[in-house]
Amino acid sequence: MGFAGLVFIEILNMDSIKFFMCFTTLLFAYAQAATLAESPPIILTPTPAPAPAPDYVNLTELLSVAGPFSTFLKYLESTKVIETLQNQANNTEEGITLFVPKDKAFTSLKKPSLSNLTADQLKQLCLFHALPHYYSLSDFKNLSDAGPVNTLAGGSYTLNFTDVSGTVHIGSGWTNTQVSSSVHSTDPVAIYQVNYVLLPEAIFGTDIPPPAPAPAPVPDIAPVADAPEADGGKRKGKVASSSSTSSSDRVIGWSVWRCLMMVVVSVGFAVAL
């Protein structure tokens, strides 16, 4: 076989290879199409977007804007308790409930005084005003029967809650006050205004002075003009008194007249004799 024959055979072999490759490709494509036709369509489910993180609550800003709370905020910042409260509010699932006394509550506090407290006692006093959980106003109905509730101060620093017709009353032994208004109440942060500073027995002891007696009620004395019956009685009394006097005068006058008549008759009888 010559050179030309070898070239021809090589060309035939290349055409056979190309034909085989084309046939194999077509067969594979047909098999894939048949498989896709038999299998159910694949539905891609979109991945849900992650839930937005709760907004950061700045307690310092809230207490600076709302109410007159500058005194309490000063104590929180000087003891660095504000950092603990801020972390509890924004970095825990439980949240926080904070009771904030007005400035007037501190100025009216004469005894016991806060000026003699140590730095640690003052810190515990501030933590005593916070609960390590978010409570809405309606939640305090359940706390009324739950007994003492732990505060962020821990240990024996507990508070008692009573719901009276929707008004939340707080007792700490030394302090009996109530929630007067809601400053902020959006989960996970609740801030409520109270009328008095919460004083714990763990700091001030259990020798609690008795509450001052309530002032005696002032008797409601109605003026004479507002009591027509009494006035009428007085007038009737006066009329009766006048009538009695007139009757007495008439009796006395008649007696005198009878005496005079008897004297005249006696004189006339004597003259006749």
Side-chain angles (χ1 to χ4, degrees), residues 33-272:
T35 302
L36 291 175
E38 294 177 359
S39 61
I42 300 174
I43 301 175
L44 298 177
T45 304
T47 304
D55 294 335
Y56 181 84
V57 180
N58 191 321
L59 297 179
T60 302
E61 182 178 344
L62 270 176
L63 297 179
S64 299
V65 174
F69 304 133
S70 59
T71 303
F72 186 63
L73 181 57
K74 179 188 68 176
Y75 284 126
L76 294 180
E77 291 176 335
S78 64
T79 59
K80 300 189 183 301
V81 169
I82 189 66
E83 300 174 5
T84 303
L85 302 182
Q86 200 72 68
N87 179 69
Q88 180 72 25
N90 295 289
N91 300 325
T92 65
E93 295 182 358
E94 291 294 321
I96 191 173
T97 299
L98 184 62
F99 302 104
V100 186
K102 299 182 294 184
D103 289 343
K104 185 178 179 181
F106 289 94
T107 56
S108 62
L109 186 62
K110 304 301 181 184
K111 187 178 181 180
S113 175
L114 304 185
S115 59
N116 298 326
L117 298 184
T118 64
D120 184 65
Q121 287 175 330
L122 190 58
K123 179 179 180 180
Q124 292 299 99
L125 176 71
C126 292
L127 291 171
F128 187 59
H129 287 72
L131 305 180
H133 186 80
Y134 167 80
Y135 291 104
S136 64
L137 286 175
S138 60
D139 292 334
F140 288 103
K141 292 181 179 180
N142 299 327
L143 292 182
S144 297
D145 302 325
V149 179
N150 293 325
T151 66
L152 272 178
S156 57
Y157 292 83
T158 59
L159 292 171
N160 293 293
F161 295 91
T162 307
D163 184 275
V164 181
S165 301
T167 301
V168 181
H169 292 255
I170 308 173
S172 69
W174 282 83
T175 307
N176 290 300
T177 185
Q178 63 185 31
V179 173
S180 55
S181 66
S182 175
V183 179
H184 180 90
S185 183
T186 302
D187 195 1
V189 177
I191 303 176
Y192 301 113
Q193 176 180 295
V194 292
N195 297 327
Y196 298 102
V197 181
L198 303 179
L199 304 176
E201 293 182 8
I203 293 178
F204 299 99
T206 57
D207 188 16
I208 303 171
V218 179
D220 187 10
I221 302 176
V224 175
D226 293 339
E229 293 183 0
D231 185 60
K234 291 180 181 180
R235 292 179 180 178
K236 290 179 181 178
K238 291 180 180 180
V239 172
S241 178
S242 300
S243 300
S244 300
T245 303
S246 300
S247 299
S248 300
D249 291 342
R250 285 197 298 268
V251 171
I252 294 172
W254 176 248
S255 299
V256 173
W257 175 252
R258 288 180 62 184
C259 291
L260 289 175
M261 288 294 294
M262 290 178 66
V263 170
V264 171
V265 171
S266 300
V267 171
F269 184 75
V271 172

